[in-house]
Amino acid sequence: MNDPTSSVSPETPRIPVSVRRAVFVIYTLTLLLATHWPQLSIKGPIQRPDLVIHVGAFGLWTLLLILAAFFGRPLARRNILASTAVGAVYAPLDELSQGLPGLHRVVALDDALANLLGVSIAGGACLTLSLIRSSR
C-alpha cells in the first residue's frame, strides 16, 4: 500500500515516480554545482539576495525530495517527515562543504539558517496539505 509506484490515488501526482526521482537527482546535481561554484558572487536589488535564493533553492530541493517519494507516497506524513529530516541534515552540510580549499567560498551561519528555513517551509507546507487532505 505504501508503494510510490502503485496506481494513482488522489494524493499521488500523475507524473511517474521514475521521472520525479530523475528530476530530483538533476536538481540536486545542479544545486551542488551552484553552491560550490568557485568565487560565485550574486548581486541584486536588495542587500544579501543570496539569502532569498538559499531559502527558495532548499525549499524547492525539499519539495522535489518529497515528491520523489523515497519514503512512501508523496503526501504520506512519514515521507514528508523523513524527507524534511534528510533536508535538515543535508542543508547545513552543503553550506559547510563550501569551505573546502580551492573553492574560495564563504561558509556562513546565516546561509545555513536560510537553507534550513527553506527546508522547513517546504516540509511544513506539505505536512499542512497532508493534514488538510486527510481531514476531508
Side-chain angles (χ1 to χ4, degrees), residues 114-125:
N115 294 351
L116 287 171
L117 179 60
V119 170
S120 300
I121 289 170

Side-chain angles (χ1 to χ4, degrees), residues 66-84:
I66 290 168
L67 293 174
F70 287 107
F71 307 104
R73 289 185 312 234
L75 288 180
R77 285 185 207 119
R78 176 177 181 249
N79 180 55
I80 294 167
L81 293 174
S83 297
T84 303

Side-chain angles (χ1 to χ4, degrees), residues 15-39:
I15 300 168
V17 70
S18 59
V19 173
R20 289 182 274 139
R21 288 179 178 174
V23 168
F24 171 74
V25 168
I26 291 167
Y27 183 80
T28 299
L29 294 173
T30 303
L31 184 61
L32 274 168
L33 180 65
T35 58
H36 292 82
W37 194 266
Q39 300 178 334

Side-chain angles (χ1 to χ4, degrees), residues 40-120:
L40 181 66
S41 176
I42 298 173
K43 294 179 180 24
I46 61 172
Q47 187 176 4
R48 295 295 313 272
D50 63 308
L51 293 178
V52 175
I53 294 168
H54 280 268
V55 172
F58 282 88
L60 180 56
W61 182 90
T62 303
L63 177 62
L64 292 174
L65 178 58
I66 290 168
L67 293 174
F70 287 107
F71 307 104
R73 289 185 312 234
L75 288 180
R77 285 185 207 119
R78 176 177 181 249
N79 180 55
I80 294 167
L81 293 174
S83 297
T84 303
V86 169
V89 171
Y90 171 69
L93 289 176
D94 181 88
E95 184 63 29
L96 284 173
S97 65
Q98 293 176 39
L100 293 171
L103 293 180
H104 306 288
R105 298 291 301 254
V106 174
V107 176
L109 178 60
D110 54 356
D111 287 350
L113 292 174
N115 294 351
L116 287 171
L117 179 60
V119 170
S120 300

